[in-house]
Amino acid sequence: MDFKLVKEMLKRILLVTFTAAVLACHASPQPQQMVQGVSNIVPDEKQALVCKEIVTLIENWNYKKIKVNDSISSLILDKYIKDLDPYKYYFLSSDIKEFEKFRFSLDDDFRSGNLNAPFYIFNVYLKRYNEWLAYSLNQIKAKYDFNQNDTYTFDREKMPWATSSTALNDIWKKKVKYELVNLRIAGTTEAKNVETLTKRYQNLKSQASKVNNQDIFQTIMDAFTETIDPHTNYFNPANAQAFNEDMARSFEGIGARLQLENEVLKISEIIPGGPAFKSKLLSAGDRIVGVAQGNAEFEDIIGWRIENSVAKIKGPKGTKVRLKIIPVGMDLSSKPVIVELLREKIVMEEQSAKKKVKTIQSNGQPYKIGIITVPAFYADFKAARAGDPNYKSTTRDVRLLIDTLKNRDKVDAIVMDLRANGGGSLVEAIDLTGLFIDKGPVVQVKDLKGGIEVNEDTNAGAIWEGPFGVMVDRLSASASEIFAGAIQDYGRGIIMGTQTYGKGTVQSSIDMNQLVNPSILQRLAALVGKNVAGGAAGKDGVAPPQLGQINLTMAKFYRVTGSSTQHKGVMPDIVFPSVYPMDKIGEDTEKSALPWDEVKKSNFMAVADLNPIKPELIKLHQERMAKSLDYKILNQDIADMKNREKEVSITLNESKLKAERDSLEAKSLEKTNLLRAERGLAPIKKGAKIAKEESFDFVEEESLKVMLDFMKSANPKDKSVVKTVKEFQ
């Protein structure tokens, strides 16, 4: 599908509507209903504009072609309330009754850019949240009887809303007691427990005080877009930047991971190769208390929201940033050390494709299998558009890894690990498939007008023609399913794992600023009345406001066989039990998901017909599983997890709770040591950590054995099936 053409069409339509929206926002601002007892947060003109235009985008360009009407309004209200208070800890039944007045008006409000109703609901939520914190802080030092046989209901989703503040107080008091009894079981003193819980709640109070209208707007838009379909998502400017950096696997900054600890920004990790690493002036645990751009004045960032601090530290490569540092181990009252760094482009290698080689013996013969782990289908589109010949992408990284596996490691087979790979770039899924097939169709894309485009690998030749397998699980989605489905349909390899997620929709990322005439943005900037950090200054010196990004569902994809992966996902050839609950995770659990359907089969030629050998591979796998202690314990763990999912409450009796915890820990330790004994490892004691080199991935190990069976059973380079060696196990 030609998304460039679609964007041009959008631009023509929206240039008019954005102009009208700016004028409308300025002409008739709506009064905000205030909530007593809380600092009310209100929407701004920019958010009103974005909201209105998202309605236009959804109604005209979402694949569903859905009308935002009273029915949708009702669903948005229910989802928004559930998102804010899923377990009914905060809102009173009287609050919920009052919110009913908004049930059938949100559609009209959103269409006109009026966000007062959802902001009012959030302010009520914020009031209740602050009431909970205040009450709970007062209850921490209360006297509790930990020998009582009372219980705490932690999952209140199916329970009625509390009818009074007294009822809520009872719920909150039990929550405090539950947290205290957990600390008591851990063996710390009563005084220490009070201190720990007090700090925990004070930190929550501090974080609540930092909530701003961008946070609320994001929550509102999440409820709105996910009511339409699960994968149409709006990202505010900060989240859009994070999304695009994750997709590119790179960012521009100093090369440090940061976290907030007691209101102070702390370095949690130094990224190898970055400016912080090369300077040797920073260490994990150092705290950053001030930031200056170039030679400008320092800004004190203690108490700031983490994203605001990070925005000051990041910046274009080649620019200078100065930091005030309190080194690890030094008191906060110590004199800060000033560190000066030049920002660079940081490549997140640890989140990129990686390889390892495992050797498995069979009948005295060693087999080397390369495992390539791909965490996502990423691509640095910005660098690619700029003509960077070394731009980062999944396909480019995997190509280099395969070259090493072939020529240096001399592997006999390759397995691609796509477990927990949620997808990413459609183009990368197509290009990656092309590394394993000669050429031909990879995926079919059906646009919102019903047109079907067949996306092909046009590069002749595969760089790996040997035995190949793919590992998937319930979290493998979207681009992962395109790749795994194509490998399966072409008979190019064996798919191992569990049924995948079932996301068969295509999203187009639209930078909303690109749809707006720059002069209109300048007018909006004047209305907002303040500079927006990170924006490029306009003629009048005021930076145009950033409107964020929307990932809009505009198409569905289909396998070359014509079958959609929507809902159904990819069914593996060799099936493993799912550690993830299939009834809670997956496209078929999403109420707003598009249905499964089919299109005409594309014209493709399979590499091989593996169907005749699959029954033998399944048989050998099942024979191993019948004898496998790992398999038995995995099934036990899954069954235990399902039983625990049914629990909604827990005892507050300290001795009973401790006995339950001790029993679970003892069972877990017993299973761990049984498995260690099976592998010839010494048993571990309670509380001991398992060394990284002693960790064991049962699914991976069994998948490698399946690959051995595969190598003995077929020749993937040829369409003919080689005789199965039945005695090989």
Side-chain angles (χ1 to χ4, degrees):
M1 184 167 66
D2 190 346
F3 289 113
K4 185 177 180 181
L5 178 61
V6 171
K7 287 188 180 182
E8 287 301 317
M9 294 168 67
L10 288 170
K11 187 181 292 186
R12 287 197 297 271
I13 292 172
L14 295 179
L15 280 178
V16 177
T17 56
F18 266 75
T19 305
V22 171
L23 298 175
C25 290
H26 183 58
S28 55
Q30 299 289 325
Q32 171 75 53
Q33 184 178 354
M34 296 290 110
V35 177
Q36 298 300 314
V38 67
S39 296
N40 284 259
I41 305 173
V42 298
D44 59 35
E45 294 92 338
K46 179 180 69 174
Q47 291 159 350
L49 173 59
V50 170
C51 178
K52 177 172 179 171
E53 295 315 317
I54 286 177
V55 173
T56 300
L57 283 167
I58 285 172
E59 291 192 329
N60 289 282
W61 300 102
N62 183 273
Y63 189 86
K64 279 187 173 181
K65 304 177 186 174
I66 199 165
K67 182 75 172 176
V68 180
N69 55 21
D70 286 358
S71 177
I72 295 297
S73 174
S74 179
L75 294 172
I76 294 170
L77 179 65
D78 289 338
K79 178 152 182 49
Y80 183 50
I81 291 171
K82 187 173 182 179
D83 287 350
L84 291 176
D85 192 3
Y87 299 112
K88 301 178 180 175
Y89 283 131
Y90 307 111
F91 287 132
L92 291 167
S93 59
S94 57
D95 297 328
I96 302 302
K97 185 177 180 180
E98 184 194 11
F99 300 156
E100 280 297 310
K101 65 188 179 185
F102 305 126
R103 181 162 296 280
F104 301 113
S105 61
L106 292 179
D107 56 323
D108 298 321
D109 288 345
F110 285 7
R111 195 180 305 281
S112 65
N114 182 358
L115 292 161
N116 290 342
F119 266 80
Y120 170 74
I121 291 172
F122 192 94
N123 286 329
V124 173
Y125 165 76
L126 201 57
K127 178 181 180 180
R128 300 290 180 226
Y129 188 84
N130 286 331
E131 288 171 349
W132 163 65
L133 286 171
Y135 179 83
S136 298
L137 278 165
N138 287 331
Q139 293 301 310
I140 293 173
K141 293 182 181 180
K143 296 297 180 183
Y144 294 95
D145 182 357
F146 295 101
N147 295 314
Q148 272 185 294
N149 288 320
D150 51 344
T151 58
Y152 167 56
T153 302
F154 56 85
D155 184 348
R156 295 177 38 81
E157 184 177 3
K158 295 181 180 178
M159 298 186 72
W161 296 97
T163 57
S164 66
S165 296
T166 302
L168 274 183
N169 287 347
D170 183 58
I171 294 167
W172 294 340
K173 188 169 184 177
K174 285 189 174 181
K175 190 176 191 301
V176 172
K177 186 177 180 180
Y178 174 66
E179 294 189 327
L180 285 171
V181 75
N182 276 310
L183 292 170
R184 286 171 65 92
I185 290 173
T188 48
T189 65
E190 185 175 344
K192 182 64 176 176
N193 295 343
V194 168
E195 179 188 351
T196 298
L197 201 54
T198 299
K199 283 184 178 179
R200 185 182 301 171
Y201 285 175
Q202 285 175 340
N203 184 55
L204 291 173
K205 186 176 182 180
S206 173
Q207 295 306 309
S209 70
K210 294 183 176 68
V211 171
N212 60 32
N213 68 354
Q214 280 285 64
D215 300 321
I216 302 173
F217 184 61
Q218 183 68 67
T219 304
I220 295 166
M221 289 299 100
D222 286 345
F224 175 25
T225 59
E226 289 170 23
T227 296
I228 305 303
D229 82 80
H231 308 292
T232 286
N233 300 115
Y234 168 77
F235 298 100
N236 67 29
N239 291 339
Q241 180 182 0
F243 173 86
N244 292 321
E245 286 176 355
D246 184 62
M247 178 65 78
R249 288 300 191 263
S250 66
F251 64 93
E252 294 179 351
I254 66 169
R257 297 198 188 285
L258 307 170
Q259 66 183 62
L260 202 62
E261 187 177 275
N262 296 326
E263 302 293 287
V264 180
L265 196 67
K266 186 175 89 171
I267 297 175
S268 60
E269 181 187 352
I270 302 292
I271 298 173
F277 178 84
K278 289 186 285 191
S279 75
K280 298 182 180 179
L281 298 173
L282 297 173
S283 303
D286 288 351
R287 287 145 296 170
I288 304 173
V289 297
V291 182
Q293 309 302 318
N295 296 317
E297 293 293 320
F298 274 98
E299 293 181 89
D300 186 325
I301 63 169
I302 292 178
W304 282 25
R305 289 166 56 100
I306 187 168
E307 60 266 34
N308 293 342
S309 299
V310 169
K312 293 289 184 180
I313 296 169
K314 282 182 177 178
K317 63 181 179 181
T319 58
K320 183 171 72 175
V321 62
R322 290 184 297 140
L323 309 174
K324 280 186 179 179
I325 301 294
I326 305 293
V328 59
M330 302 291 288
D331 191 84
L332 266 179
S333 60
S334 303
K335 184 178 179 180
V337 176
I338 296 177
V339 173
E340 183 178 301
L341 298 170
L342 278 181
R343 300 176 176 106
E344 295 177 12
K345 183 174 182 177
I346 311 298
V347 177
M348 296 181 283
E349 294 291 351
E350 75 284 0
Q351 295 179 29
S352 305
K354 294 185 180 67
K355 76 166 182 72
K356 62 183 176 181
V357 178
K358 289 212 169 182
T359 302
I360 298 183
Q361 298 286 334
S362 176
N363 296 335
Q365 181 180 349
Y367 290 83
K368 294 175 74 175
I369 301 178
I371 303 169
I372 299 176
T373 302
V374 178
F377 287 80
Y378 51 86
D380 190 343
F381 297 116
K382 182 179 178 182
R385 285 193 297 268
D388 183 350
N390 298 312
Y391 74 90
K392 191 162 185 63
S393 80
T394 300
T395 305
R396 295 164 69 93
D397 289 349
V398 170
R399 181 186 289 272
L400 293 173
L401 295 175
I402 292 174
D403 185 60
T404 304
L405 290 170
K406 280 171 60 178
N407 301 312
R408 189 184 72 187
D409 300 316
K410 308 291 185 184
V411 298
D412 300 296
I414 290 178
V415 172
M416 187 81 74
D417 188 350
L418 297 182
R419 290 176 295 174
N421 182 320
S425 167
L426 175 65
V427 173
E428 285 302 309
I430 297 165
D431 290 346
L432 189 67
T433 304
L435 301 183
F436 300 93
I437 64 172
D438 181 15
K439 59 181 178 179
V442 174
V443 63
Q444 303 184 80
V445 179
K446 182 179 179 182
D447 64 28
L448 70 168
K449 292 184 178 179
I452 296 174
E453 180 181 348
V454 179
N455 294 152
E456 301 190 14
D457 164 43
T458 57
N459 297 315
I463 70 166
W464 177 255
E465 296 179 332
F468 185 55
V470 182
M471 287 190 286
V472 295
D473 64 10
R474 189 61 165 173
L475 301 184
S476 304
S478 194
S480 292
E481 295 172 298
I482 292 173
F483 178 83
I487 295 299
Q488 190 176 57
D489 294 338
Y490 271 88
R492 183 58 193 87
I494 295 296
I495 312 300
M496 302 163 286
T498 60
Q499 181 183 6
T500 58
Y501 191 90
K503 179 186 176 292
T505 56
V506 184
Q507 286 70 45
S508 179
S509 296
I510 301 171
D511 178 354
M512 299 191 73
N513 279 64
Q514 297 302 312
L515 302 176
V516 188
N517 189 303
S519 64
I520 297 174
L521 283 176
Q522 288 299 324
R523 292 174 65 189
L524 181 60
L527 291 178
V528 174
K530 60 182 179 181
N531 203 331
V532 179
K539 288 185 295 184
D540 57 0
V542 179
Q546 295 302 302
L547 303 179
Q549 171 180 311
I550 185 167
N551 287 2
L552 190 66
T553 298
M554 301 178 75
K556 285 179 74 174
F557 63 74
Y558 300 80
R559 294 167 66 158
V560 291
T561 59
S563 175
S564 172
T565 57
Q566 182 68 6
H567 274 264
K568 293 187 176 183
V570 175
M571 290 300 301
D573 303 309
I574 307 297
V575 180
F576 288 82
S578 177
V579 296
Y580 303 105
M582 304 288 280
D583 60 337
K584 290 183 171 60
I585 297 174
E587 192 79 359
D588 54 2
T589 68
E590 298 283 355
K591 293 180 180 179
S592 60
L594 287 159
W596 177 88
D597 63 343
E598 293 180 286
V599 297
K600 186 180 177 182
K601 176 182 176 181
S602 63
N603 185 22
F604 76 101
M605 185 176 292
V607 174
D609 180 8
L610 300 181
N611 289 318
I613 65 169
K614 288 178 184 179
E616 184 67 18
L617 297 181
I618 293 169
K619 176 175 172 289
L620 293 171
H621 165 68
Q622 290 176 341
E623 286 174 356
R624 282 192 296 271
M625 295 303 92
K627 305 172 190 174
S628 170
L629 180 62
D630 285 278
Y631 186 75
K632 179 182 177 181
I633 288 177
L634 176 60
N635 278 313
Q636 285 178 353
D637 288 343
I638 292 170
D640 290 343
M641 183 173 62
K642 286 182 178 178
N643 288 330
R644 286 196 295 272
E645 284 174 359
K646 298 174 185 175
E647 297 173 357
V648 297
S649 62
I650 195 165
T651 181
L652 293 177
N653 182 291
E654 183 179 356
S655 59
K656 286 184 178 180
L657 185 58
K658 187 176 186 305
E660 289 177 11
R661 298 273 172 83
D662 289 345
S663 175
L664 287 172
E665 287 181 15
K667 286 179 181 177
S668 177
L669 184 63
E670 180 184 10
K671 286 187 289 188
T672 298
N673 283 330
L674 281 171
L675 292 171
R676 288 177 67 83
E678 176 113 326
R679 291 188 262 281
L681 298 171
I684 61 170
K685 295 181 180 180
K686 180 180 177 181
K689 291 185 178 179
I690 297 175
K692 186 177 180 181
E693 59 271 16
E694 292 180 347
S695 61
F696 187 78
D697 187 338
F698 163 65
V699 174
E700 180 185 282
E701 292 295 321
E702 172 56 21
S703 295
L704 299 185
K705 292 175 183 176
V706 171
M707 288 303 296
L708 283 173
D709 295 340
F710 181 40
M711 283 188 278
K712 290 289 185 176
S713 302
N715 179 5
K717 294 183 182 180
D718 192 86
K719 293 181 184 179
S720 61
V721 175
V722 179
K723 182 181 177 183
T724 300
V725 181
K726 294 187 178 180
E727 65 272 13
F728 180 81
Q729 294 189 42

